Amino acid sequence: MFKVNTNRLEREFPDIAATEMISLNDPFMVVKRLSKDHSGVIAAEDGNDEVIDVRAIEWTDCHEVEWKSYLADRVLMATSKH
């Protein structure tokens, strides 16, 4: 039997950021992807550490990590590029 790689955090992050979080109509957001103990969270903040929205990912095989991106004017940017 083989294991299927179903890394939901990696696979669903662009979809959630591009559809659900863009619809919040905030001109600038900090979008964080956090994973620990095989679960994950995608959180949107207003840039002043105020949480706007949070989405839970019940299971992921993503390693323990925190990524941060910027969502400005409907464009998702990596922090190293901005």
Side-chain angles (χ1 to χ4, degrees):
M1 186 183 238
F2 63 91
K3 180 181 177 188
V4 177
N5 184 355
T6 56
N7 189 336
R8 288 190 64 197
L9 189 63
E10 284 292 318
R11 187 179 68 240
E12 292 183 4
F13 173 75
D15 292 336
I16 291 171
T19 58
E20 297 175 28
M21 293 188 172
I22 281 180
S23 67
L24 297 172
N25 292 324
D26 199 313
F28 177 82
M29 288 185 274
V30 177
V31 183
K32 294 182 179 179
R33 299 176 283 176
L34 311 159
S35 64
K36 185 176 182 179
D37 299 328
H38 298 291
S39 63
V41 172
I42 300 173
E45 299 177 354
D46 67 357
N48 295 317
D49 297 324
E50 293 293 326
V51 176
I52 300 169
D53 192 21
V54 176
R55 304 295 170 143
I57 304 294
E58 293 179 19
W59 189 88
T60 182
D61 59 356
C62 184
H63 58 281
E64 188 172 316
V65 70
E66 177 179 335
W67 292 293
K68 182 168 54 170
S69 303
Y70 299 124
L71 184 60
D73 296 324
R74 305 177 66 91
V75 176
L76 187 64
M77 298 173 276
T79 56
S80 62
K81 301 284 183 184
H82 184 59

